[in-house]
Amino acid sequence: MTSTVPAAPSVVAAPAVTGSALLTYIDEASGERVDLTAADLGDWAARSAALLRDGCGLRPGDTVAVLLPPHWQSAAVLLGAWAAGLTVAFRPWATAGLAGDDDGPYDAVFVSRQRLRSPLEVVPQARHRFVVDTAPPGAAPELTPPGYRDFLAEAGTHGCEPPAYETVRAGDAASPDGTTYQQWRVIAEGIAAELGLAAGDRLAVDVATEEQPVKWLLTPLSVGASVLLCANCDADAFAARVATEDVTHVLG
């Protein structure tokens, strides 16, 4: 098992404290709480990378579409795809139902059950299609939609050894617009500098107001900070979390 989050070179930094929670996800509506250390998140990112690389046969330069809200599983998918050297297209929730140049075909697509239920949603074409269940534990189980595979079930069959990076270069494209891994790191570090975020800090994010993973995921990880994702939280609940969760900075 690895003590740092596996990802493509120059994208994320090692966390300042590996034994504490690197990523916390809290759903105020359901009471769900998930605390992941760097090793935990690293394991799931490595499993995701192995699913894409070994399970799907994808290689650096292949494309993945991610239609997921900020969530701990979304972090695992994104870091795993980048660790495998793939080009990742992220579609925010605000663009649901909007067709465009990013509608594929892709080599793989990840979509949440909630988003898949929307009659407005346009899911890009892809050779491999995964559904991600972001419902809290204990929710009534649902059948996997035809043509899709369940992400957690599939990723859980793969090992958690970090992938080899020899075929992934910092200058490779990490997104369809040609932005490289190194450029994403520079962007993330720039946002961190604007926030005054540094190693050992903890960034709180209201997931209803911030969708872009470069901010809620890459920005804190690029400087060795941790992140608290708060879902379904009103202003009072969010303020309470900021006060009680050792938060040093708030996004937005």
Side-chain angles (χ1 to χ4, degrees):
M1 298 175 76
T2 178
S3 60
T4 58
V5 179
S10 301
V11 174
V12 302
V17 182
T18 58
S20 58
L22 176 64
L23 186 149
T24 297
Y25 176 83
I26 295 175
D27 187 330
E28 296 289 357
S30 67
E32 177 189 11
R33 181 187 181 112
V34 177
D35 289 287
L36 299 179
T37 65
D40 296 330
L41 184 56
D43 285 350
W44 277 109
R47 291 179 189 276
S48 301
L51 170 62
L52 291 165
R53 184 190 60 230
D54 302 329
C56 299
L58 304 191
R59 291 295 180 265
D62 287 338
T63 57
V64 175
V66 177
L67 286 70
L68 300 174
H71 190 272
W72 73 265
Q73 293 183 66
S74 308
V77 168
L78 289 162
L79 293 175
W82 283 318
L86 305 179
T87 299
V88 178
F90 176 78
R91 180 188 287 173
W93 285 83
T95 64
L98 298 180
D101 295 337
D102 65 340
D103 287 328
Y106 289 95
D107 295 294
V109 63
F110 292 83
V111 61
S112 70
R113 286 187 185 274
Q114 179 183 359
R115 190 161 185 168
L116 200 57
R117 293 190 196 103
S118 171
L120 299 178
E121 184 56 70
V122 178
V123 179
Q125 297 180 5
R127 292 191 291 124
H128 304 277
R129 298 160 74 90
F130 296 94
V131 63
V132 179
D133 195 343
T134 56
E142 297 184 40
L143 295 176
T144 301
Y148 288 83
R149 288 183 281 167
D150 182 88
F151 161 65
L152 278 185
E154 294 290 330
T157 66
H158 292 274
C160 54
E161 291 298 317
Y165 296 141
E166 63 269 11
T167 59
V168 183
R169 298 168 298 182
D172 290 342
S175 55
D177 64 1
T179 304
T180 67
Y181 287 103
Q182 179 61 28
Q183 287 171 330
W184 274 126
R185 172 158 188 168
V186 171
I187 292 169
E189 289 179 337
I191 296 172
E194 291 177 359
L195 294 172
L197 196 66
D201 285 337
R202 187 162 175 79
L203 179 68
V205 181
D206 181 348
V207 303
T209 63
E210 186 51 66
E211 300 177 341
Q212 294 293 346
V214 67
K215 292 185 178 179
W216 67 261
L217 181 62
L218 291 186
T219 288
L221 298 192
S222 70
V223 294
S226 63
V227 59
L228 167 68
L229 300 177
C230 188
N232 295 311
C233 49
D234 58 24
D236 291 339
F238 189 65
R241 290 296 178 185
V242 169
T244 60
E245 295 284 343
D246 298 322
V247 169
T248 61
H249 296 71
V250 175
L251 184 63

